[in-house]
Amino acid sequence: MEKDTILVVDDSDIICSIVKGILETPSLHIYIVHSGEEGIIAAKKLHPTLILLDIIMNGIDGYETCQILKSSDETKDIPVIFITGNNDSDSVLKGFEVGAADYVSKPFIPEELKARVKVHMQNIKIQRELQFLMKELKEMAVTDYLTKLYNRRYFADQLQVYVTQYMLPIFLLLFDIDNFKKINDSYGHNAGDMVLVTVSNIFKLLLREEDILSRWGGEEFMICLPNISEEETIDLANKLRKEVSKYTFNCDNNTFQCTITGGIIKYDRSISAEKNYSNVDQALYLGKSSGKNRCIYNDPILESTN
Ligand code: GH3
Ligand code: MG
């Protein structure tokens, strides 16, 4: 387990060793410096969980040190507890005004110091967990749980950014796995899931950074290709199709292959996104009804099974 670090900034050796004696445990590292300047450098380098900061020091005092820490993105979220001999209300208020989370008065009551540090350490842990959960929630809102590709909603939002902010040509590809129901029926649902993940990975490897790849539905993938020519789009679509058809899937001692069919359109900005989706779906439908394992460009309709 990673140790938490408490940074103690105090110009008195005696105070530092008292604090160390009270707080140090096997899971807590106490790092000591003797000036505000050193405290700022150490805070940036160590990213401590908490800072205990003396107010009256040579050089920059505790208030100024705290202000500097709070004005930097790297250190602004580290809670600062002032260590103060001045516990008149003005000094305490000034401490809170410059961003302190709390204060402890000298001389220390060891149990009080421990208790205050413990409360702030717990708050920090809760905050970290919340931040982690928020990040996970945000990811879950835009991605598909199985393939980790963007979901339909995120795709639609990103496509609108390309459509409205850039005047580059955009092509849409819609792929659907052929006879996917048969894969599930013959080899099981897990094999079907594995195919979905593998096809996603093949696509990811061959697409460019700026392309948007999404899981559009059950076994459908929608891809947005910005700034690309018609010819390049058709070549890329067929490359994706061929790479999938060459791949040998292996699941529970079964080996099998599968193919995909794709519809291609040039995005038409004069009609709605929904109408564009419907057009690319129609191109895909033509591919399915004319034999599958092919890509169909809907305008002009070009069929390619090469
Ligand atoms: P076609 O070639 O015309 O596309 O036929 P198909 O069998 O691929 O299409 P159909 O619509 O008949 O069946 C699609 C199947 O995909 C049915 C559904 O149970 C399955 N499916 C949808 N989502 C998932 C998934 O997340 N995992 C698995 N394993 N199967 C899924
Ligand atoms: Mg299908």
Side-chain angles (χ1 to χ4, degrees):
M1 201 181 74
E2 210 179 303
K3 267 189 177 187
D4 278 303
T5 297
I6 295 186
L7 172 64
V8 182
V9 187
D10 196 307
D11 55 2
S12 153
D13 274 337
I14 299 168
I15 294 290
C16 290
S17 50
I18 293 173
V19 171
K20 196 172 162 100
I22 295 172
L23 295 180
E24 195 159 49
T25 65
S27 62
L28 203 55
H29 179 230
I30 310 291
Y31 191 89
I32 289 169
V33 294
H34 295 298
S35 69
E37 290 86 344
E38 286 176 303
I40 291 160
I41 294 168
K44 289 191 175 171
K45 199 170 138 203
L46 303 173
H47 297 285
T49 314
L50 193 71
I51 300 174
L52 289 174
L53 179 60
D54 187 20
I55 293 184
I56 300 163
M57 291 183 289
N58 289 328
I60 56 172
D61 66 9
Y63 297 127
E64 202 181 329
T65 306
C66 188
Q67 270 172 328
I68 294 170
L69 290 168
K70 294 293 157 192
S71 64
S72 157
D73 280 345
E74 281 176 90
T75 53
K76 69 177 168 31
D77 294 326
I78 308 170
V80 172
I81 299 180
F82 274 124
I83 306 169
T84 170
N86 307 346
N87 46 7
D88 59 284
S89 57
D90 279 354
S91 308
V92 169
L93 265 180
K94 191 170 173 195
F96 285 119
E97 272 165 19
V98 295
D102 206 349
Y103 74 98
V104 278
S105 316
K106 290 187 265 194
F108 301 122
I109 302 166
E111 292 312 317
E112 184 193 336
L113 177 62
K114 273 192 204 165
R116 286 188 191 264
V117 165
K118 192 172 163 197
V119 166
H120 289 285
M121 300 281 279
Q122 276 168 347
N123 280 346
I124 282 283
K125 285 202 176 103
I126 292 166
Q127 263 179 40
R128 281 185 194 154
E129 273 164 32
L130 277 176
Q131 275 168 358
F132 177 77
L133 286 174
M134 284 297 290
K135 196 170 159 251
E136 289 230 308
L137 271 177
K138 275 187 193 158
E139 260 174 40
M140 275 167 68
V142 299
T143 50
D144 162 52
Y145 75 99
L146 177 68
T147 59
K148 308 289 177 237
L149 298 185
Y150 291 125
N151 60 23
R152 191 175 180 132
R153 197 177 61 189
Y154 182 84
F155 179 94
D157 289 348
Q158 277 307 107
L159 177 65
Q160 277 319 295
V161 174
Y162 279 165
V163 168
T164 53
Q165 294 186 9
Y166 308 103
M167 282 305 115
L168 310 166
I170 293 170
F171 285 81
L172 293 185
L173 305 183
L174 179 60
F175 278 111
D176 182 283
I177 300 174
D178 297 330
N179 310 314
F180 190 58
K181 190 172 175 308
K182 211 167 142 199
I183 295 174
N184 274 335
D185 292 347
S186 311
Y187 309 110
H189 202 268
N190 281 347
D193 282 358
M194 191 266 282
V195 170
L196 289 167
V197 173
T198 308
V199 169
S200 307
N201 290 338
I202 293 172
F203 287 172
K204 268 188 228 165
L205 276 176
L206 295 172
L207 291 172
R208 307 163 305 169
E209 184 106 2
E210 60 270 39
D211 301 331
I212 315 168
L213 167 61
S214 71
R215 185 171 179 198
W216 194 244
E219 14 94 66
E220 279 186 335
F221 301 87
M222 183 77 88
I223 304 168
C224 161
L225 304 168
N227 197 17
I228 190 168
S229 69
E230 184 178 298
E231 206 182 0
E232 286 167 331
T233 302
I234 294 169
D235 283 351
L236 178 59
N238 279 304
K239 194 168 173 198
L240 297 172
R241 181 179 63 77
K242 283 180 204 163
E243 283 304 314
V244 172
S245 70
K246 277 195 280 183
Y247 193 86
T248 302
F249 295 88
N250 200 321
C251 189
D252 299 332
N253 295 327
N254 293 305
T255 56
F256 58 93
Q257 284 177 298
C258 85
T259 59
I260 56 174
T261 297
I264 310 168
I265 59 157
K266 182 172 185 191
Y267 192 91
D268 182 351
R269 286 179 167 87
S270 70
I271 56 175
S272 69
E274 288 310 316
K275 186 76 182 93
N276 277 284
Y277 297 149
S278 151
N279 288 347
V280 74
D281 199 39
Q282 211 180 336
L284 170 62
Y285 177 78
L286 283 171
K288 290 283 186 185
S289 56
S290 58
K292 306 185 184 181
N293 188 23
R294 64 200 60 212
C295 294
I296 299 284
Y297 181 43
N298 91 335
D299 187 20
I301 292 187
L302 286 176
E303 188 177 319
S304 170
T305 50
N306 299 326

